[in-house]
Amino acid sequence: MVMNGENPANGDRSGPASGPRPGSTSGSGSGSDSASGDGSAPIGLRERKKRLTYQAVSDAAITMFLERGFDKVSVAEVAAAADISKPTLFRYFPAKEDLVLHRFADHEDEAARVVTGRAPDETPLDALRRHFLDGLDRRDPVTGLCDVPQVLAFLRLLYGTPSLVARLHAYQGRSEAALARALGGGLSDRLAAGQIIAVLRILAMENWRRTDAGESADRVYAGAVQAAEEAFVQLRTGLEPPSRPRG
């Protein structure tokens, strides 16, 4: 599981996830341009409006899903709450599940971006390790180490809804493919990407499991760091466990 957070209600980091990262949605801009804030090309007025619509519709949907449950809210109700037509909603979100998993759109290629943006003297695995440990330190929801109630509620919704879990696997598959391309695209790169994405998912799930059970993020932190260090050692050395003396 990969995710980062803003509160849908107030835009701070206490909520389940952020909107799409600049450049993650399609469409050409028109009107005045403005910088995207991350050093990428400026975006136009039309594109900014589109992103705001994505965010507003997703926020409205998630609020309703959290209150009543994913399966008990219809797409028509979401469209009405967002003050758009049902056909318009489907132009933004091809499936109902995407109203929730839109929150993950800016993380699909996160591991790939970490690898391609690393320092010249840093290995891909070292860059990914550093990035994950930094996330733990910041209590980034993408690491699972976040005990903010809105984040926990969002993840309970996600992992408690089979259709959302199934859709999440497709997002993770695209993360794996993007990372494989960043690593070089060969068979060994695809194998490595599969293992890395699986490790990141399992680490985040374990952190979330503990915080969801009532442990504070601060209490879980030391164990989460140790688990991450051990996981990256295993990635680096292979799947064969270290030999232990018998007897």
Side-chain angles (χ1 to χ4, degrees):
M1 187 282 297
V2 281
M3 192 177 74
N4 194 1
E6 286 181 2
N7 187 338
N10 59 24
D12 64 26
R13 285 193 73 248
S14 62
S18 65
R21 138 184 97 75
S24 66
T25 55
S26 60
S28 60
S30 64
S32 61
D33 289 337
S34 81
S36 64
D38 66 348
S40 58
I43 58 174
L45 177 62
R46 182 181 301 173
E47 180 68 10
R48 292 199 301 275
K49 287 182 175 179
K50 179 182 290 188
R51 295 178 189 184
L52 289 172
T53 301
Y54 269 107
Q55 192 68 43
V57 175
S58 178
D59 288 350
I62 290 172
T63 297
M64 298 172 74
F65 296 153
L66 289 173
E67 289 175 350
R68 294 163 49 194
F70 180 80
D71 295 325
K72 294 182 179 179
V73 178
S74 69
V75 172
E77 289 176 292
V78 174
D83 198 26
I84 59 175
S85 69
K86 188 174 175 180
T88 298
L89 184 147
F90 278 124
R91 285 202 294 272
Y92 284 95
F93 300 95
K96 181 182 177 183
E97 290 79 9
D98 292 328
L99 288 161
V100 177
L101 292 172
H102 161 69
R103 303 283 180 165
F104 291 85
D106 57 339
H107 294 289
E108 274 192 26
D109 64 346
E110 182 169 328
R113 285 185 278 120
V114 169
V115 168
T116 57
R118 71 189 190 278
D121 59 346
E122 191 174 33
T123 69
L125 206 55
D126 285 341
L128 290 164
R129 170 188 167 275
R130 170 184 50 77
H131 182 74
F132 190 81
L133 292 176
D134 285 348
L136 291 176
D137 188 57
R138 290 182 284 105
R139 306 297 191 265
D140 191 331
V142 75
T143 67
L145 190 64
C146 184
D147 54 10
V148 172
Q150 294 96 324
V151 174
L152 295 175
F154 178 88
L155 292 175
R156 288 187 203 110
L157 169 72
L158 175 62
Y159 294 119
T161 308
S163 61
L164 291 175
V165 173
R167 194 76 167 183
L168 179 60
H169 288 162
Y171 277 72
Q172 292 171 337
R174 290 193 287 272
S175 296
E176 181 181 316
L179 178 57
R181 290 192 296 271
L183 292 171
L187 176 59
S188 62
D189 302 309
R190 297 197 300 273
L191 291 170
Q195 294 175 67
I196 290 166
I197 294 300
V199 162
L200 296 176
R201 173 180 58 83
I202 292 168
L203 289 172
M205 282 289 293
E206 176 63 13
N207 294 336
W208 171 73
R209 182 191 65 79
R210 293 182 62 182
T211 55
D212 189 55
E215 294 186 73
S216 70
D218 288 345
R219 180 180 178 85
V220 175
Y221 175 72
V225 170
Q226 181 178 351
E229 294 285 22
E230 292 175 355
F232 276 93
V233 168
Q234 188 167 335
L235 281 170
R236 187 173 288 105
T237 59
L239 298 179
E240 191 70 29
S243 60
R244 296 180 180 177
R246 296 183 178 180

